[in-house]
């Protein structure tokens, strides 16, 4: 008998606006890091949408793997610099990054929620969520009843950050302890 493949969290494709390269935030990345900066941003977006769909856990290993995947002479330090540039320019949400070591943004989440709108159930980590559930521009009415929130296990996050620290100006561990959340409930 045939066994169905499990549903993946990510999506098969995502829309890339035709004016992506004209966006001031992207132009600033290009001005600061050159064309390789644009390549890194696109690779990060592809990885976010491909894996979890609306976020990516960002640590030392993820950085190494991204440098390897991008190639073109890109080294992990280049990736780290571009990620920091994206955080400074709000391409990724700095608050969620500082708190949880997660790359995401409201725009990424809007595109994701629309891409998975035909799914029966959409599971979202409450702590990473940046959209307003009451705003139809953020979350279409037909999707509201499909969204199920779960919480992040703080101990796992803390352990992950201890194992693979990321160079930032704020110590993740103390921020995670400040925002202690309850352990994820079983579905």
């Amino acid at each position: 008998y045939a066994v169905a493949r499990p549903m993946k969290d990510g999506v098969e494709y995502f829309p890339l606006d035709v004016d992506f390269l004209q966006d001031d935030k992207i132009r600033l990345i290009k001005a600061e890091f050159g064309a390789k900066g644009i390549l890194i941003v696109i690779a990060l977006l592809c990885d976010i949408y491909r894996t979890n769909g609306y976020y990516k856990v960002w640590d030392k290993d993820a950085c190494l793997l991204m440098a390897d995947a991008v190639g073109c002479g890109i080294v992990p330090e280049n990736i780290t610099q571009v990620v920091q540039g994206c955080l400074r320019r709000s391409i990724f949400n700095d608050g969620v990054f500082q708190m949880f070591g997660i790359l995401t943004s409201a725009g990424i989440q809007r595109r994701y929620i629309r891409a998975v709108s035909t799914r029966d159930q959409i599971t979202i980590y409450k702590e990473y969520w940046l959209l307003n559930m009451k705003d139809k521009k953020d979350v279409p009415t037909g999707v509201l009843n499909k969204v199920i929130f779960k919480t992040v296990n703080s101990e796992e996050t803390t352990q992950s950050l201890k194992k693979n620290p990321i160079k930032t100006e704020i110590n993740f561990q103390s921020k995670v302890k400040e925002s202690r959340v309850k352990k994820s409930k079983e579905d």
Side-chain angles (χ1 to χ4, degrees), residues 76-87:
E77 291 77 20
N78 301 136
I79 304 288
T80 299
Q81 291 168 350
V82 172
V83 166
Q84 291 299 322
C86 289
L87 290 164

Side-chain angles (χ1 to χ4, degrees), residues 14 16 20-21 23 25-30 33-49 56 58 66 70 74 78-87 89-92 103 105 108 111:
F14 68 95
L16 183 66
F20 176 80
L21 294 173
D23 183 294
K25 294 175 185 180
I26 299 302
R27 289 178 60 210
L28 286 166
I29 293 293
K30 182 180 172 203
F33 304 107
K36 287 183 179 182
I38 303 297
L39 177 60
I40 292 167
V41 171
I42 292 172
L44 286 165
L45 291 172
C46 287
D47 202 41
I48 288 167
Y49 288 114
K56 174 147 187 75
W58 194 251
M66 181 58 61
V70 173
I74 301 289
N78 301 136
I79 304 288
T80 299
Q81 291 168 350
V82 172
V83 166
Q84 291 299 322
C86 289
L87 290 164
R89 292 180 177 89
S90 300
I91 294 170
F92 300 123
L103 297 178
S105 74
I108 289 168
R111 283 184 285 281

Side-chain angles (χ1 to χ4, degrees), residues 63-152:
C63 184
L64 289 169
L65 291 171
M66 181 58 61
D68 182 62
V70 173
C72 301
I74 301 289
V75 295
E77 291 77 20
N78 301 136
I79 304 288
T80 299
Q81 291 168 350
V82 172
V83 166
Q84 291 299 322
C86 289
L87 290 164
R88 281 193 311 276
R89 292 180 177 89
S90 300
I91 294 170
F92 300 123
N93 182 282
D94 191 53
V96 175
F97 180 76
Q98 296 298 340
M99 191 72 72
F100 298 101
I102 297 297
L103 297 178
T104 192
S105 74
I108 289 168
Q109 293 178 7
R110 271 187 216 100
R111 283 184 285 281
Y112 172 75
I113 208 77
R114 281 163 179 71
V116 298
S117 64
T118 59
R119 293 183 182 173
D120 293 335
Q121 178 179 310
I122 305 166
T123 305
I124 302 292
Y125 283 111
K126 184 177 181 180
E127 292 83 358
Y128 306 163
W129 197 239
L130 299 169
L131 302 182
N132 180 351
M133 294 296 284
K134 296 175 184 177
D135 187 342
K136 291 177 184 173
K137 292 177 187 171
D138 278 353
V139 182
T141 307
V143 177
L144 281 174
N145 62 342
K146 297 178 181 187
V147 176
I148 297 170
F149 286 100
K150 63 182 182 178
T151 59
V152 175

